């Protein structure tokens, strides 16, 4: 059978394999199926195309435009999911593995698209945190802003998730406004190539935003500079080699590394056999060992159980693993497919042998395969028991990237935490317990060593997402052995492709830069009451100053009895005076808010559709009977929500007869276009 020709997409052209191409074998049968790579790939032209065509086009757009593109890419991939599934079986993955890789990758795109629309501005500059007061009178302020890097993101991915691995990096990169060059691992690059074709054929991205290298990367990394990012996922050895590239070091090129990790799962001391937690632990560990045939960066490599429970854990786990149906992943009965390649199988067996020097093999099975499958990269689950995990070293530092894991016993929680931390930094540690004190101690003792701590028990097990699943909302990455990198985590992940800059200046400067009104910046008097103006007519800084209203003792009495809020500070002068905050009876804060609304609303039907909330409310000075209040209402920011309406964030300040601030908050309304 002719080999599939897996191309690169370089500077707007598909480039077929050529000199230097590598042959890729099916994981299931070992037969050659594809060819990828071309030594003649023009990496300089690719970098130039990304930096000078893709980047400028992406930066012209705003966050919301790019979020919409990411959603459309997710939809294009969804529509052609079946093709991706069909292509993925040869990597050794089962249909349920595809759900993690393909559906999980597409889901990640949708989460970033949604977060981009909800949590990022409808503009080009991201404000990182609040305005910092740098001066007594507020004429000189500070604001951290993030702007897109002006180079290219080179994404180097591992073989195990050819779709998710690409999309979890691509979504935040595109959202930031940075073009990508994706380089999948060669062993499974035919699946990534198909996903890239689907996205390019959907014609959603500007030219230069997405390029692909199938096969070797050539000397691309030797041409990167301070505006570029390398985002690497793979083994610790390759990460070390690539991040030590002199050009990367000299030019301070950002290098995000996600590498292998000796993840652990701890069985809590309360989780005795017969409890829901014990069963849950066995289920999670067995699932992590067999999903993707254990080829998951987050898979559980070390099973840490109370010493008296070790035997029960081995017994229950062995019984569960014995049910694993190993075979052709296309077969629906199959629960575990093959490793990605014969090379990977040899590597896993070699690593298992190293673990075997310190631990005893307590469970394995005969995969029972014949015919073509006998040449596939199948490896059965292998469970080890390490009797002396304190003196052992290799069980804590050897990653067998397959269905291999080691049980070890702990004496007390401190010991459990010490063992978990012996991995030297991991992507995830899980803890199965129903005891919140144990959970707190583990987080305190192990937090610094692990990028994610997954706690599960009878209360959360039905809805929990699994030890091994990185989620786009949460950070993925870990210290030390895990690479020291961090990806995803919502908007945090987008910032890896942006530069944070501390901008200092006057309120007017900051308001214009950030597209957000800042107290002290120009207040614009609109042509009419702002509540009569439609979303798109309102300008940032448009301000209404209301008339004032005197607060009387009758008002306070009336409000107290009407609402039932007869708190002593409003009702009992002597008691209020004994309180260090009040001069005597004072008006209710909520009365002031209600009066403020009465002062600034425009009662007639109009473009303000709803009051959707209030943020950052502060009462700064008490108001007594006889004081008066007035309101300043300024348009602080606007966020388009749909084609029909958008959210307006108003800065509201209440002042008294002496112009002292008595309250401040942000009011949110939905306004029609
Ligand atoms: P790998 O051998 O380190 O390769 C990773 C990537 O680096 C591949 O795309 C590979 O391309 C590329 N590469 C290798 N040498 C290179 C060079 N000199 N210049 C440029 N690129 C180079 O890892 P793998 O075998 O694909 O993946 C398995 C490992 O990845 C495991 O250790 C696993 O724990 C880790 N992993 C980590 C995560 C995480 O998120 N932390 C996720 C998944 C996997 P070629 O294939 O073309 O050589």
């Amino acid at each position: 059978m002719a080999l599939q020709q897996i191309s690169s997409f370089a500077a707007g052209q598909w480039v077929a394999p050529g000199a230097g191409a590598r042959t890729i074998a099916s994981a299931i049968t070992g037969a050659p199926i594809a060819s990828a790579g071309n030594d003649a790939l023009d990496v300089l032209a690719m970098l130039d195309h990304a930096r000078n065509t893709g980047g400028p086009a992406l930066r012209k757009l705003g966050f919301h435009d790019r979020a919409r593109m990411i959603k459309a890419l997710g939809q294009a991939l969804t529509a052609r999911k079946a093709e991706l599934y069909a292509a993925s079986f040869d990597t050794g993955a089962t249909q349920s593995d595809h759900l993690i890789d393909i559906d999980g990758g597409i889901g990640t795109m949708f989460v970033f698209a949604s977060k981009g629309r909800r949590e990022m501005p409808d503009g080009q500059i991201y404000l990182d945190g609040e305005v910092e007061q740098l001066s007594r009178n507020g004429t000189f302020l500070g604001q951290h802003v993030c702007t897109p890097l002006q180079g290219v993101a080179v994404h180097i991915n591992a073989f195990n998730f050819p779709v998710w691995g690409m999309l979890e990096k691509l979504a935040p990169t595109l959202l930031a406004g940075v073009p990508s060059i994706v380089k999948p691992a060669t062993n499974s690059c035919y699946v990534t190539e198909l996903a890239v074709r689907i996205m390019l054929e959907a014609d959603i991205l500007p030219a230069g935003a997405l390029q692909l290298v199938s096969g070797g990367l050539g000397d691309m990394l030797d041409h990167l500079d301070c505006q570029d990012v390398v985002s690497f996922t793979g083994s610790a050895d390759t990460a070390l080699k690539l991040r030590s590239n002199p050009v990367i070091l000299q030019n301070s090129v950002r290098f995000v590394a996600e590498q292998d990790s000796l993840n652990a799962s701890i069985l809590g001391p309360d989780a005795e056999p017969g409890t829901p937690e014990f069963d849950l632990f066995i289920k999670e560990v067995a699932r992590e060992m067999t999903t993707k045939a254990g080829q998951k960066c987050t898979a559980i490599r070390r099973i840490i159980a109370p010493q008296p429970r070790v035997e029960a854990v081995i017994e229950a786990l062995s019984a569960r693993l014995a049910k694993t149906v190993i075979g052709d992943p296309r077969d629906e009965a199959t629960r575990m497919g093959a490793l990605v390649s014969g090379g990977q199988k040899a590597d896993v067996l070699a690593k298992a042998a190293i673990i075997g020097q310190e631990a005893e093999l307590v469970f394995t099975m005969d995969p029972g395969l014949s015919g073509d499958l006998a040449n596939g990269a199948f490896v059965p689950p292998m469970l080890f028991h390490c009797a002396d995990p304190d003196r052992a070293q290799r069980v804590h530092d050897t990653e067998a990237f397959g269905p291999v894991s080691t049980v070890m016993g702990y004496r007390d929680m401190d010991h459990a935490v010490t063992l978990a931390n012996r991995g030297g930094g991991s992507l995830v540690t899980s803890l199965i317990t129903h005891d919140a004190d144990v959970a707190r101690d583990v987080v305190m003792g192990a937090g610094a060593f692990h990028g994610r701590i997954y706690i599960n028990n009878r209360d959360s097990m039905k809805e929990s997402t699994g030890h091994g699943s990185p989620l786009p909302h949460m950070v993925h990455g870990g210290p030390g052995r895990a690479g020291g990198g961090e990806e995803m985590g919502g908007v945090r992940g987008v910032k890896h492709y942006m530069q944070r800059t501390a901008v200092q200046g006057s309120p007017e400067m900051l308001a214009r830069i950030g597209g957000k009104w800042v107290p002290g910046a120009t207040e614009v008097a609109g042509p009419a009451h702002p509540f009569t103006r439609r979303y798109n007519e309102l300008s940032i800084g448009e301000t209404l100053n209301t008339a004032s209203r005197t607060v009387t003792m009758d008002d306070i009495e009336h409000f107290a009895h009407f609402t039932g809020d007869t708190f002593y500070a409003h009702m009992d002068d002597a008691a209020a005076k004994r309180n260090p905050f009040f001069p005597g009876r004072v008006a209710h804060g909520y009365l002031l808010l209600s009066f403020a609304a009465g002062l600034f609303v425009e009662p007639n039907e109009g473009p303000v559709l709803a009051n959707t909330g209030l943020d950052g409310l502060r009462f700064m000075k008490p108001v007594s009977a006889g004081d008066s209040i007035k309101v300043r209402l300024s348009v602080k920011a606007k966020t388009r929500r749909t084609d029909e309406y958008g959210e307006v964030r108003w800065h509201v300040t209440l002042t008294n007869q002496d112009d002292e601030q008595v309250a401040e908050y942000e009011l949110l309304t939905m306004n029609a276009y």
Side-chain angles (χ1 to χ4, degrees):
M1 206 173 81
L3 297 184
Q4 281 183 71
Q5 301 293 294
I6 307 305
S7 298
S8 296
F9 186 69
Q13 305 292 329
W14 284 100
V15 180
R22 288 184 247 172
T23 301
I24 304 163
S26 162
I28 311 170
T29 62
I33 52 167
S35 166
N38 190 332
D39 289 345
L41 198 65
D42 188 346
V43 295
L44 287 178
M46 291 182 81
L47 291 172
D48 180 67
H49 190 52
R51 289 174 181 147
N52 297 317
T53 303
L58 285 169
R59 291 197 297 278
K60 257 196 208 128
L61 305 170
F63 294 104
H64 288 201
D65 304 314
R66 295 193 292 260
R68 278 188 282 272
M69 279 180 354
I70 293 166
K71 184 174 177 187
L73 290 173
Q75 287 165 333
L77 289 163
T78 304
R80 295 178 61 183
K81 243 174 9 185
E83 293 170 54
L84 290 166
Y85 293 158
S88 291
F89 287 114
D90 266 314
T91 67
T94 61
Q95 181 60 30
S96 40
D97 294 335
H98 300 346
L99 295 182
I100 302 174
D101 184 35
I102 296 162
D103 294 71
I106 295 171
T108 300
M109 297 286 266
F110 288 138
V111 170
F112 274 100
S114 154
K115 285 198 167 280
R117 296 280 302 277
R118 295 188 171 280
E119 298 172 25
M120 304 190 82
D122 191 5
Q124 294 166 313
I125 296 181
Y126 179 79
L127 303 183
D128 186 5
E130 295 301 313
V131 166
E132 298 288 343
Q133 295 292 331
L134 304 179
S135 59
R136 186 186 292 258
N137 297 321
T139 60
F140 186 70
L141 306 171
Q143 168 77 65
H144 291 97
V145 306
C146 296
T147 52
L149 290 176
Q150 297 185 13
V152 54
V154 179
H155 295 165
I156 302 176
N157 292 324
F159 67 78
N160 54 339
F161 288 114
V163 177
W164 177 84
M166 165 172 63
L167 299 181
E168 60 101 8
K169 290 184 168 71
L170 187 61
T173 306
L174 288 175
L175 192 50
V178 176
S180 305
I181 296 176
V182 175
K183 187 254 173 287
T186 305
N187 274 332
S188 57
C189 70
Y190 46 94
V191 184
T192 312
E193 192 235 37
L194 175 58
V196 169
R197 276 187 192 276
I198 292 173
M199 289 193 280
L200 293 174
E201 281 166 19
D203 202 16
I204 292 159
L205 293 171
L210 173 61
Q211 299 179 80
L212 172 72
V213 175
S214 300
L217 200 54
D219 64 352
M220 188 181 285
L221 300 188
D222 297 339
H223 303 284
L224 301 185
D225 66 30
C226 74
Q227 290 300 303
D228 303 322
V229 186
V230 177
S231 209
F232 171 84
T233 299
S235 62
D237 289 346
T238 311
L240 180 64
K241 188 158 100 192
L242 300 188
R243 76 188 337 163
S244 324
N245 176 314
V247 174
I248 289 188
L249 294 175
Q250 190 171 358
N251 292 347
S252 306
V253 176
R254 278 189 208 185
F255 194 96
V256 181
E258 297 291 349
Q259 56 196 45
D260 48 86
S261 162
L262 276 294
N263 312 293
S265 185
I266 303 173
L267 178 67
D270 54 306
E272 307 208 0
T275 60
E277 282 73 27
F278 186 87
D279 297 344
L280 175 63
F281 182 75
I282 299 299
K283 203 165 130 192
E284 289 247 13
V285 173
R287 188 175 59 201
E288 288 304 320
M289 283 181 70
T290 53
T291 304
K292 286 289 295 185
Q295 299 169 110
K296 265 175 34 179
C297 54
T298 49
I300 297 167
R301 306 289 172 206
R302 295 172 307 138
I303 302 160
I304 303 177
Q307 187 57 48
R309 304 276 164 262
V310 163
E311 222 168 286
V313 166
I314 292 174
E315 198 180 311
L317 206 45
S318 302
R320 199 169 176 107
L321 290 171
K323 294 188 195 141
T324 313
V325 180
I326 304 170
D328 187 335
R330 290 189 181 91
D331 187 340
E332 276 181 24
T334 297
R335 289 287 155 270
M336 190 171 94
L339 301 186
V340 76
S341 65
Q344 200 59 29
K345 177 176 173 176
D347 186 64
V348 167
L349 295 178
K351 299 281 176 48
I354 294 173
I355 292 169
Q357 294 164 8
E358 291 177 344
E360 181 195 356
L361 183 64
V362 290
F363 173 82
T364 191
M365 61 197 279
D366 179 356
L369 301 166
S370 56
D372 281 352
L373 300 186
N375 298 322
F378 295 92
V379 169
M382 285 185 257
L383 186 66
F384 287 88
H385 170 228
C386 177
D388 189 356
D390 292 326
R391 274 203 291 173
Q393 179 53 40
R394 307 317 308 269
V395 296
H396 300 295
D397 69 14
T398 307
E399 184 207 41
F401 202 55
V404 182
S405 197
T406 305
V407 181
M408 51 193 81
Y410 69 81
R411 294 183 292 276
D412 52 31
M413 280 327 288
D414 282 350
H415 188 215
V417 165
T418 303
L419 291 176
N421 295 353
R422 287 278 306 276
S426 87
L427 296 170
V428 52
T429 273
S430 55
L431 168 68
I432 309 297
T433 183
H434 200 236
D435 184 333
D437 290 333
V438 166
R440 192 197 170 277
D441 289 349
V442 168
V443 169
M444 197 52 214
F449 284 78
H450 308 275
R452 181 160 63 88
I453 298 185
Y454 170 91
I455 303 164
N456 206 359
N457 60 30
R458 67 193 75 178
D459 301 332
S460 49
M461 65 186 185
K462 281 215 175 71
E463 292 193 304
S464 58
T465 44
H467 162 107
S469 300
L471 299 175
H473 319 72
M474 309 300 287
V475 294
H476 172 57
R481 174 70 190 251
E486 204 181 271
E487 294 186 312
M488 301 197 291
V491 173
R492 290 174 190 85
V494 183
K495 292 191 217 166
H496 297 146
Y497 300 94
M498 305 183 85
Q499 176 62 43
R500 179 168 32 234
T501 305
V503 176
Q504 293 164 247
S506 70
E508 188 67 15
M509 296 297 129
L510 297 193
R512 285 295 289 278
I513 291 164
K516 213 171 179 183
W517 186 77
V518 175
T522 307
E523 295 170 24
V524 189
H529 189 288
F531 278 22
T532 64
R533 287 163 53 71
R534 308 183 77 78
Y535 176 88
N536 46 336
E537 292 169 337
L538 285 168
S539 56
I540 302 292
E542 196 164 321
T543 298
L544 174 76
N545 283 296
T546 71
S548 68
R549 167 173 189 155
T550 302
V551 179
T552 67
M553 190 55 82
D554 275 355
D555 292 332
I556 297 172
E557 283 280 329
H558 177 69
F559 190 81
H561 295 298
F562 176 54
T563 62
D565 178 355
T566 52
F567 185 62
Y568 72 88
H570 314 304
M571 309 308 290
D572 180 338
D573 199 52
K577 280 199 170 95
R578 285 194 291 276
N579 179 312
F581 290 99
F582 303 121
R585 285 180 76 176
V586 294
H588 305 66
Y590 301 123
L591 170 62
L592 301 180
L593 289 191
S594 304
F595 278 169
L599 288 167
F600 66 63
V601 291
E602 210 289 327
N604 297 312
E605 185 176 355
V608 176
L609 304 176
N611 167 358
T612 54
L614 186 158
D615 280 346
L617 172 62
R618 287 283 171 282
F619 295 116
M620 292 130 132
K621 199 171 170 55
V623 171
S624 308
D627 288 348
S628 62
I629 58 160
K630 57 188 181 307
V631 185
R632 183 187 64 196
L633 181 79
S634 305
V635 177
K636 178 170 181 180
K638 301 198 306 176
T639 313
R640 197 170 151 164
R641 289 277 182 237
T642 69
D643 288 342
E644 277 132 45
Y645 54 84
E647 181 189 86
V648 181
R649 183 175 283 271
W650 308 81
H651 190 274
V652 187
T653 314
L654 274 62
T655 46
N656 65 16
Q657 61 282 358
D658 300 322
D659 284 333
E660 296 165 316
Q661 281 196 21
V662 300
E664 187 175 47
Y665 56 98
E666 289 182 3
L667 170 74
L668 301 171
T669 60
M670 281 300 171
N671 285 39
Y673 256 68

